Amino acid sequence: MSYFPLLTLLLTNNIELGTAILTAILLVPFTILFLVILYLAINAEACERVVVYSVKKLFKYVLRFSRFKGMEVRTVRWIRKTIKSFNKVFVTYFRDKRVVLFSGLLMSIHHFMFASSFYFVILAFGGNISFILAAGIFITVSLVSLLSLIPGQLGIYEVLSISFLTLTVGLVNGTLVTSVVRLIQYWSIIFIGGFFAIQLGLETIKFD
């Protein structure tokens, strides 16, 4: 028996254990990926080698059209300059332990509040699940959605969230919970951020 049917069976019969196992499985590769990205952000030479190699392969095998000829050298030059600038800023930021600790604290609070809002919306629609299970579903859905190249993980997040919530609160409530959560956690930020961005932009234009 393959792992996916086994995991599906486990989610159906014991969603708490199944979600915990799935979350743990997903956290391992994402943690490794995060550490690799962190290493590349600190080590400019390694980052430059990896990115430049990838770009050269991209131009060689994908961008072989006439209109892209001659762009490889300029692109590589721009990438090297950008990596050096980013590395300089990042290393300066990373050396300040207070900034790192404060950023980590804010990030932890951010994710905890998002998981809490997910849990309380489920309760508001009559769901009877533990906070741990709700947080596990939220983390699992969020991690898998990161694999999507679509901005905001639109569509992928909704399908995964509804699929998990159907096992706990039913299809209708799962759909409603997902819609409200996305409204709180994504669309409200987009609209509020867009409003203030326009306001600040207009003030800047008036000031200039």
Side-chain angles (χ1 to χ4, degrees), residues 114 180-194:
F114 268 34
V180 173
V181 167
R182 289 295 270 174
L183 180 63
I184 295 172
Q185 298 182 0
Y186 182 74
W187 292 111
S188 62
I189 297 174
I190 295 294
F191 290 131
I192 294 172

Side-chain angles (χ1 to χ4, degrees), residues 106-118 120 131 135 138:
L106 287 179
M107 188 179 299
S108 300
I109 294 174
H110 166 81
H111 289 294
F112 176 77
M113 295 300 293
F114 268 34
S116 298
S117 67
F118 189 79
F120 286 120
F131 177 78
F138 171 76

Side-chain angles (χ1 to χ4, degrees), residues 58-76:
L58 181 68
F59 273 94
K60 183 178 180 180
Y61 295 108
V62 181
L63 305 178
R64 293 183 291 179
F65 307 104
S66 58
R67 59 177 178 175
F68 291 109
K69 290 181 179 179
M71 290 181 60
E72 181 179 339
V73 176
R74 286 178 292 172
T75 303
V76 170

Side-chain angles (χ1 to χ4, degrees), residues 3 6 18 34 37 45 80 87 90 100 103 109 120 133 135 150 201:
Y3 291 106
L6 180 62
F34 171 76
I37 293 174
E45 293 182 3
R80 285 175 173 160
N87 176 259
F90 185 82
V100 175
S103 300
I109 294 174
F120 286 120
L133 176 57
I150 302 174

